[in-house]
Amino acid sequence: MVTDHVMTPTFIDDIANALDILIRLEQKGIFNVVGSQAVTPYDGAMKIAREFGFDEALISQTTRREYFCRQGATGPFVFILKMLK
């Protein structure tokens, strides 16, 4: 799992709840609906493994460049959205 890429994962039920609230309040504009923690895919995989009792030794570390080298992907390594509204 990638260790040098940071993201803000979001629980799907939280997205649904936020959309319900925004629709009921007739809100307009652009809203970022994101989780409150920023993690790497590796850290996220380790948390999932611990939560469900999976073998953490099966999760290996890599870099974004190594993982995406075949696709030639480039771009930012940090994807963190803020919940300011």
Side-chain angles (χ1 to χ4, degrees):
M1 296 301 294
V2 177
T3 59
D4 61 350
H5 174 98
V6 180
M7 61 185 182
T8 47
T10 308
F11 185 53
I12 191 66
D13 290 357
D14 292 340
I15 294 172
N17 186 50
L19 290 173
D20 181 53
I21 291 168
L22 292 169
I23 290 167
R24 279 191 286 118
L25 297 177
E26 298 181 13
Q27 294 294 303
K28 296 186 181 355
I30 298 172
F31 296 86
N32 292 327
V33 178
V34 298
S36 61
Q37 296 181 340
V39 299
T40 66
Y42 175 78
D43 292 335
M46 293 299 282
K47 287 181 181 186
I48 290 169
R50 282 185 212 110
E51 181 68 27
F52 291 98
F54 298 146
D55 185 357
E56 295 176 39
L58 297 174
I59 301 170
S60 61
Q61 297 183 41
T62 189
T63 65
R64 185 177 188 269
R65 179 165 283 116
E66 291 168 349
Y67 185 79
F68 289 109
C69 69
R70 292 185 201 139
Q71 289 87 13
T74 60
F77 290 96
V78 178
F79 298 99
I80 299 173
L81 297 173
K82 307 267 182 185
M83 304 181 305
L84 299 177
K85 282 190 180 179

